[in-house]
Amino acid sequence: MGVLRNVTAATPCAQRGMHGERAGSSRALVVALATMLALALTAALPTPLFAQEDPGPSPWLDLVEENGVVEVPYTCVQVQNPDGSYGLEPQAVVEPLEVSTDAIVYVGQAIQRLETMIDISRFNLTGDEAMALYDLVKNSFPDLFYVSGGGYAGYRPGMADYIIPMYDFPMEQIPAMKATYEAKIAEALDWVDAGMGQAEKAKALHDYIVIHCSYAQSWSSDTFQYIHSAYGALVNGSAVCEGYANLYRDLCARAGLGACGVESPNMNHAWNQIMVGDQWYHVDVTWDDPIGGSPAVVRQTYFLKSEDYFSFDHYDWYQYFSSPDTRYDSVTWQTYWEPAVVHPYGFRDVHENDWYVTSGVLEFMVENNLMSGVSDTAFDPNGNMTRAQFATILWRYFEPEADASYNAATAVNETDLPDIGGGQWYTGAANWAVQAGVISGVEAAGGQWFRPDDPVTREQVVTMLLRASGRQFPVSDETLAAFAGYRDAPATSAWARDNVLQALEIGLLKGNNGELRTASSCTRAEGATFIMRAIQQGLLGE
């Protein structure tokens, strides 16, 4: 096997693996191409590197050749300067590399799977070409924050048969890091909504980073691997310019904005260009975040500026698109201090305009400790409510002290229903529900069963609530006629018909669009509504 060749590491504020030419050159280099491909390839990945919907056609795809290949004429390597400092030096590939989008997707997916040797023999690449491809993939997707260096190996003289990624973290740690990163990305994207224009979205995301991230003025061997990445800026809240720029590029791309990286080796600094309308503008989020400043300080000095404006104190940068437009150079922008999208109680699958929020159902259930989420960040309002969940909610209402002191580890089945497991989160509630006569069980296989994981139906819900109330209600002729008028009334189970009629009589059950849906599964939001209605009507007592 051939000799392993190293790929560049990073210096504190140098843009790791960024590539570029001087402004006005005839070629767009790897970072620009990486940015284009980040959006262009997202839809091609079964498990997208960007965990968002494809933002649609990219305004810069005309720079990608129509036959699906991309020219990558340069790579960058780290070099040590005479004074001992480090910088980046562009190195020309001997022959311009034509990289197929298939190769980029293939390598990107392999990195996602955390492969340690990526077989690229099918693409017939030299070592230099393999490293250019590897750099392109890494720079295409800021969410590949867990890989940096690496090399290639080959059996054939002068050819690369394998790319060997260098993962920056223990393999078993990376999946959890990726999940944390995506959760924080979703939080950041709540700062934009569909009603915003492009410039407003760009400013809101700029402000989110400035407020939540601080410039890393010092680092240790433990933190160095984070500060250059979007992960460091987003999750740890500490980064150098490269981390700021990578995160801003990722957020802008997911929000549907064109964005790329810009770097100046002589400044040892990196920032971004973003597209608003049909023009590109410079944005330096790092320099808009005062070092040592209060989170309440959000500058806009370097937001949406022309290259003319930036040339006052930025210099010798590699620019991939011309930014001549000066219309925003003197504009004063609104500062965004909070999300545009609100998730009540931190449930990311709940929005403030959802019907079960505006009707007060969620607030009532959470504030009265009757329901919580399926996790800290998810309520699952449209998921099915199970029989065990419904029994637990009623138990919490009727026996709050027993619920508060409940120890699942010591709980045993105290009923005749054999499928109530001991030591379960619902065991105590199931025991209470059966013993109180709220649940009698489902008849099946010659016996009665609790069926804790079965979705509870709407007719089961009203039956349990009426049993829990211990009350019976006469049914009027008007209610009988109304019931008969629902087109799905015949689907009501015979055993539930009397309880359904009583529920209609007292307004506990309501139809919609000519249907009662008595045999349908009840969602968690619907189940919560039934319980709130029963409590507020006084059906379950004081």
Side-chain angles (χ1 to χ4, degrees), residues 18 48-49 69 110 128 194 291 318 384 390 441-442 485 509 537-538:
M18 292 193 81
L49 292 170
V69 300
D128 283 345
I291 292 179
Y318 294 163
N384 287 330
F390 194 82
V442 176
L509 176 65
Q537 288 178 351

Side-chain angles (χ1 to χ4, degrees), residues 394-527:
L394 288 178
W395 182 51
R396 287 172 178 167
Y397 178 75
F398 283 103
E399 302 289 342
E401 293 182 0
D403 171 58
S405 61
Y406 178 63
N407 182 2
T410 61
V412 296
N413 183 1
E414 300 173 355
T415 76
D416 295 329
L417 304 185
D419 60 335
I420 296 177
Q424 302 298 313
W425 60 268
Y426 63 83
T427 305
N431 287 335
W432 169 83
V434 174
Q435 292 166 358
V438 175
I439 292 179
S440 58
V442 176
E443 186 173 348
Q448 295 292 113
W449 305 83
F450 188 78
R451 295 285 180 86
D453 298 323
D454 280 4
V456 66
T457 64
R458 287 164 60 87
E459 62 186 11
Q460 289 173 349
V461 163
V462 297
T463 296
M464 293 178 193
L465 289 171
L466 285 167
R467 287 175 179 170
S469 76
R471 299 167 64 183
Q472 294 286 315
F473 299 91
V475 178
S476 65
D477 291 340
E478 289 81 359
T479 297
L480 288 170
F483 174 75
Y486 288 104
R487 55 179 173 269
D488 62 342
T492 301
S493 300
W495 62 264
R497 186 177 185 276
D498 186 50
N499 288 316
V500 167
L501 288 170
Q502 291 184 64
L504 270 177
E505 178 72 33
I506 64 175
L508 179 62
L509 176 65
K510 298 179 181 181
N512 186 36
N513 294 324
E515 294 184 339
L516 288 172
R517 297 174 44 242
T518 51
S520 297
S521 298
C522 193
T523 68
R524 283 170 53 85
E526 289 173 338

Side-chain angles (χ1 to χ4, degrees), residues 231-287:
Y231 184 95
L234 181 64
V235 177
N236 296 341
S238 178
V240 294
C241 60
E242 182 184 3
Y244 279 81
N246 281 336
L247 175 57
Y248 192 56
R249 181 158 60 94
D250 195 356
L251 290 175
C252 284
R254 296 180 192 238
L257 302 172
C260 68
V262 180
E263 61 109 353
S264 169
N266 289 339
M267 291 179 66
N268 204 26
H269 187 47
W271 61 95
N272 299 96
Q273 280 181 294
I274 69 167
M275 175 175 268
V276 173
D278 60 354
Q279 296 290 321
W280 287 89
Y281 301 91
H282 287 267
V283 178
D284 191 339
V285 184
T286 309
W287 281 21

Side-chain angles (χ1 to χ4, degrees), residues 54-74:
D54 177 14
S58 165
W60 51 81
L61 287 183
D62 58 325
L63 295 179
V64 180
E65 295 185 13
E66 293 181 0
N67 61 0
V69 300
V70 180
E71 266 194 5
V72 184
Y74 287 85

Side-chain angles (χ1 to χ4, degrees), residues 1 4-5 7 97 99 103-104 106-108 110-111 114-121 123 125-138 147-154 159-167:
M1 184 171 286
L4 175 67
R5 175 178 173 178
V7 183
L97 168 65
V99 183
I104 299 166
Y106 172 81
V107 173
I111 294 174
L114 304 181
E115 293 184 12
T116 55
M117 293 188 69
I118 304 172
D119 186 347
I120 57 167
S121 57
F123 301 112
L125 302 177
T126 66
D128 283 345
E129 291 171 341
M131 290 298 91
L133 168 61
Y134 183 51
D135 276 352
L136 179 58
V137 171
K138 290 185 300 175
V147 62
S148 58
Y152 71 88
M159 303 300 289
D161 294 301
Y162 296 93
I163 288 176
I164 305 176
M166 179 186 296
Y167 294 98

